[in-house]
Amino acid sequence: HIQVVDLDTIALSNLNRQFLFRRHHLGQSKAKVAAQAVAKPGVQIIPHFANIKDGERFPLAFFRSFDLVLNALDNLDARRHVNDICLTARIPLVESGTAGYFGQTSVIIPGQTECFDCQPKEAPKTFAIC
């Protein structure tokens, strides 16, 4: 049981750095196209074309319904939000994201490892170069 949440649509610049999207997907929901691209019999994938920070649509109970949360965000505010929710819900988080050409991944287990925001993050000095 997998749920994919993304507020974005597929842009031309996505095609040279994403392996799930093709030119005919331009303008479509990233979550929906990704879910369709990896669909397999017996695996339930539910796409959400939405903002993960929408507390009415994605309340604490939504997060508590999972055994694990995987992040792949380029928005620092959204990354902090998901980190806070996972800490509150006591759900392990595999936190990953990008800033320009740099990427990082860490496993966050509430009460056992350092959280995403435990060490202050430097404010970005440049815009993403996607």
Side-chain angles (χ1 to χ4, degrees), residues 45-110:
I45 304 176
I46 301 170
H48 300 273
F49 181 46
N51 186 337
I52 193 64
K53 291 177 59 184
D54 180 346
E56 288 185 27
R57 188 157 179 192
F58 305 111
L60 189 58
F62 173 81
F63 285 86
R64 284 193 169 137
S65 70
F66 300 104
D67 296 319
L68 176 69
V69 173
L70 305 173
N71 248 3
L73 297 164
D74 59 2
N75 177 301
L76 190 56
D77 192 45
R79 291 169 79 178
R80 286 181 172 134
H81 174 76
V82 172
N83 173 73
D84 291 346
I85 293 285
C86 287
L87 289 174
T88 301
R90 305 207 45 80
I91 303 294
L93 168 64
V94 177
E95 208 298 315
S96 63
T98 61
Y101 290 118
F102 301 104
Q104 60 80 42
T105 300
S106 58
V107 176
I108 300 165
I109 302 172

Side-chain angles (χ1 to χ4, degrees), residues 1 3 6 14-15 17-19 21 23 26 39-40 46 53 55 67 69 86 88 94 99 107 109 116 120 127 130:
H1 177 80
Q3 296 200 38
D6 199 314
N14 297 130
L15 301 184
R17 58 191 167 84
Q18 303 287 339
F19 56 88
F21 308 143
R23 184 173 290 276
L26 293 176
K40 300 269 188 221
I46 301 170
K53 291 177 59 184
D67 296 319
V69 173
C86 287
T88 301
V94 177
V107 176
I109 302 172
F116 173 72
F127 296 100
C130 298

